[in-house]
Amino acid sequence: MQDEKILTEVGTNEWQVVVFMLGSQPFAINVDKTREILRWTGVRPVPKSHPAMRGITTIRGEVIPLVDLRIYLNIESPLPDEQSKIIVAEFNRMKLGFVVDAVDRIYRISAEELDSSLTGTFLGENALYVIKRDGRNILLLDYERIVQIVNPQMAEFFKMDSEHAKKVTSVLGDPNSYKILVAEDSPLIRRLIQDALAEGGFHNVELVGHGKAAWDRLNDEDDHFDLLITDIEMPKMDGLALTRLVKESPRLKDLPVVVFSSIVAEDIKRKAQSVGADAQISKPEIPFMVETVARLLKERE
């Protein structure tokens, strides 16, 4: 699959998704989260686990969990396990396999194609967007949310040490004197970022759901922000395109930008650096969020 990746210029608001099938419904996952696609490997059950947690398997000596998206989404599959496919994904500094019926193809898409109008209503909380391609409605799932529900222990990685958070922000005086803008599409992750910043005393925080909304707010000359935190995968305008615009703007180029993403691959890190990001944090490293924000704000004084 690596050879099929379509090259995209950094910061152009384009990225790639792998389309796969669960029953008759197509779904998608970002190529940058995908490591390989395998045939059924067999599985060893894990006692007292979530029903969608099929168990663990070994791939080239590495033990990884298998999450069956068909069970999680309550989609009946006509296929026996032996005909299923496994999408090996890596994000939030963990590797796991998603069990699916079939893998269809790779699309290059624009962030502007992601339709979130039905998110949280008819689509529920597991699907973030609809991608309309070739007469099909392809659903892009909130994989971070799915993994946290299947494995509740993951939430422990996102907890802050309150005393440490307050200590690192003490150098700033009143953290509320700084206004922070957060661009993140996942409601779950928005809440985690807001809670983490609040532990450090940052309550003057505005949250938006995509890069275009963030860009509009930053260009409101009647308002002012001291720092931007942005995800990469977002509709309308992704985080790399947003960062590139900020750093190319004569008025905004000195604004500190923290890229906060579940994707920690080296090529993503290089892309973020190339568009001028001042810092990068992976989502399991949220305890370092306040420390990074405090450091960048102090350096700007």
Short mmCIF file of all heavy atoms in Angstrom, two decimals, residues 3-64:
data_model
loop_
_atom_site.label_atom_id
_atom_site.label_comp_id
_atom_site.label_asym_id
_atom_site.label_seq_id
_atom_site.Cartn_x
_atom_site.Cartn_y
_atom_site.Cartn_z
N ASP A 3 3.34 1.98 -1.73
CA ASP A 3 3.67 2.43 -3.08
C ASP A 3 2.50 3.15 -3.74
O ASP A 3 2.68 3.86 -4.72
CB ASP A 3 4.08 1.24 -3.94
CG ASP A 3 5.38 0.62 -3.45
OD1 ASP A 3 6.14 1.34 -2.78
OD2 ASP A 3 5.61 -0.56 -3.73
N GLU A 4 1.28 2.97 -3.20
CA GLU A 4 0.11 3.57 -3.82
C GLU A 4 -0.17 4.96 -3.29
O GLU A 4 -1.07 5.64 -3.77
CB GLU A 4 -1.12 2.68 -3.57
CG GLU A 4 -1.00 1.31 -4.19
CD GLU A 4 -2.22 0.46 -3.89
OE1 GLU A 4 -3.29 1.04 -3.62
OE2 GLU A 4 -2.11 -0.76 -3.92
N LYS A 5 0.56 5.40 -2.27
CA LYS A 5 0.29 6.71 -1.70
C LYS A 5 0.48 7.81 -2.75
O LYS A 5 1.43 7.79 -3.53
CB LYS A 5 1.22 6.99 -0.51
CG LYS A 5 0.86 6.18 0.73
CD LYS A 5 1.69 6.65 1.91
CE LYS A 5 1.33 5.91 3.17
NZ LYS A 5 2.10 6.37 4.33
N ILE A 6 -0.42 8.74 -2.76
CA ILE A 6 -0.37 9.84 -3.72
C ILE A 6 0.32 11.01 -3.04
O ILE A 6 -0.08 11.43 -1.96
CB ILE A 6 -1.78 10.25 -4.15
CG1 ILE A 6 -2.54 9.00 -4.64
CG2 ILE A 6 -1.75 11.31 -5.22
CD1 ILE A 6 -4.02 9.19 -4.74
N LEU A 7 1.35 11.51 -3.65
CA LEU A 7 2.10 12.58 -3.02
C LEU A 7 1.32 13.88 -3.05
O LEU A 7 0.70 14.23 -4.05
CB LEU A 7 3.44 12.77 -3.74
CG LEU A 7 4.39 11.57 -3.67
CD1 LEU A 7 5.65 11.88 -4.48
CD2 LEU A 7 4.76 11.23 -2.24
N THR A 8 1.31 14.60 -1.93
CA THR A 8 0.66 15.89 -1.86
C THR A 8 1.63 16.91 -1.31
O THR A 8 2.44 16.59 -0.45
CB THR A 8 -0.59 15.84 -0.97
OG1 THR A 8 -0.22 15.38 0.33
CG2 THR A 8 -1.64 14.91 -1.53
N GLU A 9 1.54 18.14 -1.81
CA GLU A 9 2.40 19.20 -1.30
C GLU A 9 1.94 19.59 0.10
O GLU A 9 0.74 19.62 0.39
CB GLU A 9 2.34 20.40 -2.24
CG GLU A 9 3.30 21.52 -1.84
CD GLU A 9 3.16 22.72 -2.74
OE1 GLU A 9 2.49 22.59 -3.78
OE2 GLU A 9 3.68 23.79 -2.39
N VAL A 10 2.90 19.88 0.96
CA VAL A 10 2.57 20.20 2.35
C VAL A 10 1.79 21.52 2.43
O VAL A 10 2.13 22.50 1.77
CB VAL A 10 3.87 20.31 3.18
CG1 VAL A 10 3.53 20.65 4.63
CG2 VAL A 10 4.65 19.01 3.12
N GLY A 11 0.75 21.49 3.24
CA GLY A 11 0.00 22.72 3.50
C GLY A 11 -0.97 23.12 2.42
O GLY A 11 -1.44 24.25 2.39
N THR A 12 -1.31 22.20 1.51
CA THR A 12 -2.24 22.53 0.41
C THR A 12 -3.67 22.09 0.72
O THR A 12 -4.53 22.14 -0.15
CB THR A 12 -1.78 21.86 -0.90
OG1 THR A 12 -1.70 20.45 -0.70
CG2 THR A 12 -0.45 22.41 -1.35
N ASN A 13 -3.92 21.63 1.95
CA ASN A 13 -5.28 21.25 2.37
C ASN A 13 -5.72 19.94 1.76
O ASN A 13 -6.91 19.63 1.73
CB ASN A 13 -6.28 22.35 2.02
CG ASN A 13 -7.30 22.57 3.11
OD1 ASN A 13 -7.01 22.37 4.29
ND2 ASN A 13 -8.49 23.00 2.74
N GLU A 14 -4.77 19.13 1.27
CA GLU A 14 -5.10 17.83 0.70
C GLU A 14 -4.43 16.73 1.50
O GLU A 14 -3.31 16.88 1.97
CB GLU A 14 -4.64 17.74 -0.76
CG GLU A 14 -5.43 18.62 -1.71
CD GLU A 14 -5.00 18.40 -3.14
OE1 GLU A 14 -3.82 18.12 -3.39
OE2 GLU A 14 -5.87 18.50 -4.02
N TRP A 15 -5.14 15.62 1.64
CA TRP A 15 -4.55 14.42 2.23
C TRP A 15 -5.21 13.19 1.66
O TRP A 15 -6.03 13.29 0.76
CB TRP A 15 -4.60 14.45 3.76
CG TRP A 15 -5.72 15.16 4.43
CD1 TRP A 15 -5.95 16.50 4.43
CD2 TRP A 15 -6.78 14.60 5.22
NE1 TRP A 15 -7.07 16.80 5.17
CE2 TRP A 15 -7.59 15.66 5.67
CE3 TRP A 15 -7.11 13.31 5.61
CZ2 TRP A 15 -8.71 15.45 6.47
CZ3 TRP A 15 -8.21 13.11 6.42
CH2 TRP A 15 -9.00 14.17 6.83
N GLN A 16 -4.84 12.03 2.15
CA GLN A 16 -5.27 10.78 1.55
C GLN A 16 -5.96 9.89 2.58
O GLN A 16 -5.60 9.89 3.75
CB GLN A 16 -4.08 10.03 0.97
CG GLN A 16 -3.27 10.84 -0.02
CD GLN A 16 -1.82 10.41 -0.01
OE1 GLN A 16 -1.52 9.27 -0.30
NE2 GLN A 16 -0.92 11.32 0.32
N VAL A 17 -6.96 9.15 2.11
CA VAL A 17 -7.67 8.22 2.99
C VAL A 17 -7.73 6.84 2.35
O VAL A 17 -7.79 6.72 1.12
CB VAL A 17 -9.10 8.70 3.31
CG1 VAL A 17 -9.07 9.99 4.12
CG2 VAL A 17 -9.94 8.87 2.04
N VAL A 18 -7.70 5.82 3.19
CA VAL A 18 -7.95 4.45 2.76
C VAL A 18 -9.43 4.18 2.95
O VAL A 18 -9.96 4.39 4.04
CB VAL A 18 -7.12 3.45 3.59
CG1 VAL A 18 -7.45 2.01 3.16
CG2 VAL A 18 -5.64 3.71 3.45
N VAL A 19 -10.10 3.74 1.90
CA VAL A 19 -11.53 3.41 1.98
C VAL A 19 -11.66 1.90 2.19
O VAL A 19 -11.04 1.10 1.49
CB VAL A 19 -12.27 3.84 0.70
CG1 VAL A 19 -13.74 3.43 0.77
CG2 VAL A 19 -12.15 5.35 0.51
N PHE A 20 -12.47 1.52 3.18
CA PHE A 20 -12.71 0.10 3.47
C PHE A 20 -14.20 -0.13 3.66
O PHE A 20 -14.99 0.81 3.82
CB PHE A 20 -11.92 -0.34 4.70
CG PHE A 20 -12.26 0.40 5.97
CD1 PHE A 20 -13.27 -0.04 6.81
CD2 PHE A 20 -11.56 1.55 6.33
CE1 PHE A 20 -13.59 0.64 7.98
CE2 PHE A 20 -11.87 2.24 7.50
CZ PHE A 20 -12.89 1.78 8.33
N MET A 21 -14.60 -1.40 3.66
CA MET A 21 -16.01 -1.76 3.72
C MET A 21 -16.34 -2.47 5.02
O MET A 21 -15.59 -3.35 5.48
CB MET A 21 -16.39 -2.66 2.54
CG MET A 21 -16.11 -2.09 1.17
SD MET A 21 -17.02 -0.57 0.83
CE MET A 21 -18.72 -1.19 0.91
N LEU A 22 -17.48 -2.10 5.59
CA LEU A 22 -18.10 -2.85 6.68
C LEU A 22 -19.51 -3.15 6.20
O LEU A 22 -20.34 -2.24 6.09
CB LEU A 22 -18.15 -2.03 7.97
CG LEU A 22 -16.82 -1.52 8.54
CD1 LEU A 22 -17.07 -0.67 9.78
CD2 LEU A 22 -15.87 -2.67 8.86
N GLY A 23 -19.79 -4.42 5.88
CA GLY A 23 -21.04 -4.73 5.20
C GLY A 23 -21.07 -4.02 3.87
O GLY A 23 -20.12 -4.09 3.09
N SER A 24 -22.15 -3.29 3.60
CA SER A 24 -22.27 -2.57 2.33
C SER A 24 -21.89 -1.09 2.45
O SER A 24 -21.98 -0.34 1.48
CB SER A 24 -23.72 -2.66 1.81
OG SER A 24 -24.63 -2.10 2.75
N GLN A 25 -21.46 -0.66 3.65
CA GLN A 25 -21.16 0.75 3.89
C GLN A 25 -19.65 1.03 3.80
O GLN A 25 -18.86 0.36 4.45
CB GLN A 25 -21.66 1.18 5.27
CG GLN A 25 -21.27 2.58 5.70
CD GLN A 25 -21.84 3.65 4.79
OE1 GLN A 25 -23.01 3.64 4.44
NE2 GLN A 25 -21.00 4.59 4.37
N PRO A 26 -19.24 2.00 2.98
CA PRO A 26 -17.82 2.37 2.93
C PRO A 26 -17.44 3.33 4.06
O PRO A 26 -18.22 4.22 4.42
CB PRO A 26 -17.67 3.05 1.57
CG PRO A 26 -19.03 3.59 1.26
CD PRO A 26 -20.03 2.70 1.94
N PHE A 27 -16.25 3.15 4.60
CA PHE A 27 -15.68 4.00 5.64
C PHE A 27 -14.28 4.41 5.20
O PHE A 27 -13.73 3.89 4.23
CB PHE A 27 -15.62 3.26 6.97
CG PHE A 27 -16.95 2.94 7.57
CD1 PHE A 27 -17.66 1.82 7.15
CD2 PHE A 27 -17.51 3.76 8.54
CE1 PHE A 27 -18.91 1.52 7.70
CE2 PHE A 27 -18.76 3.47 9.09
CZ PHE A 27 -19.45 2.35 8.67
N ALA A 28 -13.68 5.35 5.94
CA ALA A 28 -12.34 5.82 5.58
C ALA A 28 -11.49 6.04 6.81
O ALA A 28 -11.99 6.31 7.91
CB ALA A 28 -12.44 7.12 4.78
N ILE A 29 -10.17 5.92 6.62
CA ILE A 29 -9.19 6.24 7.64
C ILE A 29 -8.02 6.93 6.95
O ILE A 29 -7.68 6.60 5.80
CB ILE A 29 -8.72 4.97 8.39
CG1 ILE A 29 -7.73 5.33 9.53
CG2 ILE A 29 -8.09 3.96 7.45
CD1 ILE A 29 -7.41 4.16 10.44
N ASN A 30 -7.43 7.91 7.61
CA ASN A 30 -6.30 8.65 7.04
C ASN A 30 -5.14 7.71 6.72
O ASN A 30 -4.78 6.85 7.54
CB ASN A 30 -5.85 9.72 8.05
CG ASN A 30 -4.90 10.73 7.45
OD1 ASN A 30 -4.00 10.39 6.70
ND2 ASN A 30 -5.09 11.99 7.78
N VAL A 31 -4.57 7.86 5.55
CA VAL A 31 -3.42 7.04 5.15
C VAL A 31 -2.28 7.18 6.17
O VAL A 31 -1.57 6.21 6.46
CB VAL A 31 -2.94 7.44 3.74
CG1 VAL A 31 -1.54 6.93 3.48
CG2 VAL A 31 -3.89 6.88 2.70
N ASP A 32 -2.10 8.37 6.73
CA ASP A 32 -0.99 8.58 7.66
C ASP A 32 -1.16 7.82 8.96
O ASP A 32 -0.20 7.69 9.73
CB ASP A 32 -0.82 10.08 7.95
CG ASP A 32 -0.25 10.83 6.76
OD1 ASP A 32 0.69 10.30 6.12
OD2 ASP A 32 -0.75 11.92 6.44
N LYS A 33 -2.37 7.33 9.23
CA LYS A 33 -2.59 6.48 10.41
C LYS A 33 -2.42 5.00 10.08
O LYS A 33 -2.43 4.16 10.96
CB LYS A 33 -4.01 6.70 10.96
CG LYS A 33 -4.21 8.03 11.64
CD LYS A 33 -5.63 8.16 12.18
CE LYS A 33 -5.79 9.48 12.93
NZ LYS A 33 -7.19 9.69 13.36
N THR A 34 -2.30 4.69 8.80
CA THR A 34 -2.32 3.31 8.33
C THR A 34 -0.90 2.83 8.04
O THR A 34 -0.15 3.49 7.33
CB THR A 34 -3.17 3.19 7.06
OG1 THR A 34 -4.46 3.75 7.32
CG2 THR A 34 -3.33 1.74 6.66
N ARG A 35 -0.55 1.68 8.60
CA ARG A 35 0.79 1.12 8.38
C ARG A 35 0.80 0.02 7.34
O ARG A 35 1.69 -0.06 6.51
CB ARG A 35 1.35 0.61 9.72
CG ARG A 35 1.64 1.72 10.71
CD ARG A 35 2.79 2.61 10.20
NE ARG A 35 2.84 3.90 10.88
CZ ARG A 35 2.36 5.02 10.42
NH1 ARG A 35 1.78 5.06 9.25
NH2 ARG A 35 2.48 6.15 11.10
N GLU A 36 -0.18 -0.88 7.39
CA GLU A 36 -0.25 -1.95 6.39
C GLU A 36 -1.63 -2.58 6.44
O GLU A 36 -2.41 -2.37 7.37
CB GLU A 36 0.83 -3.00 6.62
CG GLU A 36 0.83 -3.62 8.00
CD GLU A 36 2.00 -4.58 8.19
OE1 GLU A 36 2.37 -5.27 7.21
OE2 GLU A 36 2.54 -4.62 9.30
N ILE A 37 -1.94 -3.39 5.41
CA ILE A 37 -3.20 -4.10 5.34
C ILE A 37 -2.89 -5.58 5.18
O ILE A 37 -2.11 -5.98 4.30
CB ILE A 37 -4.05 -3.58 4.16
CG1 ILE A 37 -4.42 -2.12 4.40
CG2 ILE A 37 -5.31 -4.43 3.99
CD1 ILE A 37 -4.99 -1.43 3.18
N LEU A 38 -3.49 -6.40 6.06
CA LEU A 38 -3.16 -7.82 6.11
C LEU A 38 -4.41 -8.68 5.96
O LEU A 38 -5.53 -8.22 6.21
CB LEU A 38 -2.49 -8.15 7.45
CG LEU A 38 -1.25 -7.36 7.83
CD1 LEU A 38 -0.84 -7.71 9.25
CD2 LEU A 38 -0.11 -7.65 6.86
N ARG A 39 -4.18 -9.92 5.59
CA ARG A 39 -5.26 -10.91 5.66
C ARG A 39 -5.45 -11.29 7.13
O ARG A 39 -4.64 -10.95 7.99
CB ARG A 39 -4.89 -12.13 4.82
CG ARG A 39 -4.80 -11.83 3.33
CD ARG A 39 -4.32 -13.04 2.57
NE ARG A 39 -4.25 -12.77 1.13
CZ ARG A 39 -3.72 -13.59 0.25
NH1 ARG A 39 -3.21 -14.75 0.66
NH2 ARG A 39 -3.70 -13.28 -1.04
N TRP A 40 -6.53 -12.02 7.41
CA TRP A 40 -6.83 -12.46 8.76
C TRP A 40 -5.65 -13.22 9.36
O TRP A 40 -5.09 -14.11 8.71
CB TRP A 40 -8.08 -13.34 8.75
CG TRP A 40 -8.45 -13.88 10.09
CD1 TRP A 40 -8.34 -15.17 10.52
CD2 TRP A 40 -9.00 -13.14 11.19
NE1 TRP A 40 -8.78 -15.28 11.81
CE2 TRP A 40 -9.20 -14.06 12.25
CE3 TRP A 40 -9.35 -11.81 11.38
CZ2 TRP A 40 -9.74 -13.68 13.48
CZ3 TRP A 40 -9.88 -11.43 12.60
CH2 TRP A 40 -10.06 -12.35 13.63
N THR A 41 -5.25 -12.84 10.55
CA THR A 41 -4.05 -13.40 11.18
C THR A 41 -4.37 -14.41 12.27
O THR A 41 -3.46 -15.03 12.81
CB THR A 41 -3.21 -12.28 11.81
OG1 THR A 41 -4.02 -11.60 12.79
CG2 THR A 41 -2.74 -11.30 10.76
N GLY A 42 -5.66 -14.54 12.61
CA GLY A 42 -5.99 -15.31 13.80
C GLY A 42 -5.94 -14.39 15.01
O GLY A 42 -5.39 -13.28 14.96
N VAL A 43 -6.51 -14.83 16.13
CA VAL A 43 -6.61 -13.96 17.29
C VAL A 43 -6.66 -14.79 18.57
O VAL A 43 -7.18 -15.92 18.58
CB VAL A 43 -7.87 -13.05 17.19
CG1 VAL A 43 -9.15 -13.87 17.24
CG2 VAL A 43 -7.87 -11.97 18.25
N ARG A 44 -6.11 -14.24 19.64
CA ARG A 44 -6.19 -14.86 20.97
C ARG A 44 -7.06 -13.96 21.84
O ARG A 44 -6.72 -12.79 22.04
CB ARG A 44 -4.80 -15.02 21.58
CG ARG A 44 -3.88 -15.89 20.75
CD ARG A 44 -2.57 -16.19 21.46
NE ARG A 44 -1.77 -15.00 21.67
CZ ARG A 44 -0.99 -14.44 20.76
NH1 ARG A 44 -0.93 -14.96 19.53
NH2 ARG A 44 -0.28 -13.37 21.03
N PRO A 45 -8.17 -14.46 22.36
CA PRO A 45 -9.10 -13.62 23.13
C PRO A 45 -8.46 -13.05 24.39
O PRO A 45 -7.54 -13.63 24.97
CB PRO A 45 -10.23 -14.59 23.49
CG PRO A 45 -10.12 -15.71 22.50
CD PRO A 45 -8.66 -15.83 22.20
N VAL A 46 -8.97 -11.88 24.80
CA VAL A 46 -8.56 -11.24 26.05
C VAL A 46 -9.75 -11.26 27.00
O VAL A 46 -10.82 -10.71 26.66
CB VAL A 46 -8.10 -9.78 25.80
CG1 VAL A 46 -7.80 -9.09 27.12
CG2 VAL A 46 -6.89 -9.76 24.89
N PRO A 47 -9.62 -11.87 28.16
CA PRO A 47 -10.77 -11.98 29.08
C PRO A 47 -11.26 -10.60 29.56
O PRO A 47 -10.48 -9.66 29.70
CB PRO A 47 -10.20 -12.79 30.26
CG PRO A 47 -8.99 -13.47 29.73
CD PRO A 47 -8.43 -12.57 28.68
N LYS A 48 -12.58 -10.50 29.79
CA LYS A 48 -13.21 -9.32 30.37
C LYS A 48 -12.92 -8.04 29.59
O LYS A 48 -12.69 -6.97 30.16
CB LYS A 48 -12.78 -9.14 31.83
CG LYS A 48 -13.19 -10.29 32.73
CD LYS A 48 -12.76 -10.05 34.17
CE LYS A 48 -13.20 -11.20 35.06
NZ LYS A 48 -12.79 -11.00 36.47
N SER A 49 -12.90 -8.15 28.28
CA SER A 49 -12.65 -6.98 27.44
C SER A 49 -13.94 -6.54 26.75
O SER A 49 -14.96 -7.24 26.80
CB SER A 49 -11.57 -7.28 26.40
OG SER A 49 -11.95 -8.37 25.58
N HIS A 50 -13.90 -5.38 26.12
CA HIS A 50 -15.05 -4.86 25.36
C HIS A 50 -15.43 -5.86 24.26
O HIS A 50 -14.54 -6.50 23.67
CB HIS A 50 -14.66 -3.51 24.75
CG HIS A 50 -15.78 -2.76 24.14
ND1 HIS A 50 -16.29 -3.07 22.89
CD2 HIS A 50 -16.51 -1.70 24.58
CE1 HIS A 50 -17.28 -2.23 22.60
NE2 HIS A 50 -17.43 -1.38 23.60
N PRO A 51 -16.72 -6.02 23.95
CA PRO A 51 -17.13 -6.98 22.92
C PRO A 51 -16.42 -6.78 21.58
O PRO A 51 -16.18 -7.76 20.85
CB PRO A 51 -18.63 -6.74 22.79
CG PRO A 51 -19.05 -6.19 24.11
CD PRO A 51 -17.88 -5.38 24.60
N ALA A 52 -16.09 -5.52 21.23
CA ALA A 52 -15.42 -5.27 19.94
C ALA A 52 -13.93 -5.57 20.00
O ALA A 52 -13.28 -5.60 18.95
CB ALA A 52 -15.63 -3.81 19.53
N MET A 53 -13.40 -5.79 21.19
CA MET A 53 -12.00 -6.14 21.34
C MET A 53 -11.86 -7.64 21.11
O MET A 53 -12.11 -8.45 21.99
CB MET A 53 -11.51 -5.76 22.75
CG MET A 53 -10.11 -6.19 23.06
SD MET A 53 -8.86 -5.33 22.11
CE MET A 53 -7.39 -6.06 22.83
N ARG A 54 -11.51 -8.02 19.88
CA ARG A 54 -11.48 -9.43 19.52
C ARG A 54 -10.37 -10.19 20.25
O ARG A 54 -10.45 -11.39 20.44
CB ARG A 54 -11.30 -9.57 18.00
CG ARG A 54 -12.48 -9.08 17.19
CD ARG A 54 -13.69 -9.98 17.37
NE ARG A 54 -13.41 -11.36 17.00
CZ ARG A 54 -13.50 -11.82 15.76
NH1 ARG A 54 -13.91 -11.02 14.78
NH2 ARG A 54 -13.25 -13.08 15.49
N GLY A 55 -9.30 -9.46 20.61
CA GLY A 55 -8.19 -10.11 21.29
C GLY A 55 -6.88 -9.54 20.80
O GLY A 55 -6.80 -8.37 20.39
N ILE A 56 -5.84 -10.34 20.84
CA ILE A 56 -4.52 -9.90 20.41
C ILE A 56 -4.00 -10.85 19.34
O ILE A 56 -4.39 -12.02 19.25
CB ILE A 56 -3.52 -9.85 21.58
CG1 ILE A 56 -3.43 -11.21 22.28
CG2 ILE A 56 -3.91 -8.75 22.56
CD1 ILE A 56 -2.38 -11.27 23.38
N THR A 57 -3.12 -10.33 18.50
CA THR A 57 -2.46 -11.14 17.49
C THR A 57 -1.00 -10.75 17.44
O THR A 57 -0.60 -9.72 18.01
CB THR A 57 -3.13 -10.95 16.11
OG1 THR A 57 -2.63 -11.92 15.20
CG2 THR A 57 -2.86 -9.56 15.55
N THR A 58 -0.20 -11.55 16.78
CA THR A 58 1.23 -11.28 16.66
C THR A 58 1.57 -11.05 15.19
O THR A 58 1.27 -11.89 14.33
CB THR A 58 2.07 -12.43 17.21
OG1 THR A 58 1.71 -12.66 18.58
CG2 THR A 58 3.56 -12.09 17.14
N ILE A 59 2.16 -9.90 14.91
CA ILE A 59 2.58 -9.56 13.55
C ILE A 59 4.07 -9.29 13.55
O ILE A 59 4.53 -8.34 14.18
CB ILE A 59 1.80 -8.34 13.03
CG1 ILE A 59 0.30 -8.66 12.97
CG2 ILE A 59 2.32 -7.92 11.65
CD1 ILE A 59 -0.56 -7.48 12.59
N ARG A 60 4.82 -10.17 12.90
CA ARG A 60 6.28 -10.07 12.85
C ARG A 60 6.88 -9.86 14.24
O ARG A 60 7.72 -8.98 14.45
CB ARG A 60 6.70 -8.95 11.89
CG ARG A 60 6.51 -9.35 10.42
CD ARG A 60 7.04 -8.29 9.49
NE ARG A 60 6.18 -7.11 9.50
CZ ARG A 60 5.04 -7.02 8.83
NH1 ARG A 60 4.60 -8.03 8.13
NH2 ARG A 60 4.31 -5.92 8.88
N GLY A 61 6.41 -10.65 15.17
CA GLY A 61 6.96 -10.62 16.52
C GLY A 61 6.39 -9.55 17.43
O GLY A 61 6.72 -9.50 18.61
N GLU A 62 5.51 -8.68 16.91
CA GLU A 62 4.92 -7.61 17.71
C GLU A 62 3.47 -7.95 18.04
O GLU A 62 2.68 -8.27 17.15
CB GLU A 62 4.99 -6.29 16.95
CG GLU A 62 4.52 -5.10 17.74
CD GLU A 62 4.71 -3.79 17.00
OE1 GLU A 62 5.07 -3.83 15.80
OE2 GLU A 62 4.50 -2.73 17.61
N VAL A 63 3.13 -7.87 19.32
CA VAL A 63 1.77 -8.17 19.76
C VAL A 63 0.92 -6.91 19.65
O VAL A 63 1.29 -5.85 20.19
CB VAL A 63 1.76 -8.69 21.21
CG1 VAL A 63 0.33 -8.94 21.68
CG2 VAL A 63 2.58 -9.97 21.33
N ILE A 64 -0.21 -7.00 18.95
CA ILE A 64 -1.10 -5.84 18.81
C ILE A 64 -2.55 -6.28 19.08
O ILE A 64 -2.93 -7.42 18.82
CB ILE A 64 -1.00 -5.18 17.42
CG1 ILE A 64 -1.55 -6.09 16.33
CG2 ILE A 64 0.43 -4.78 17.12
CD1 ILE A 64 -1.70 -5.40 14.99
#
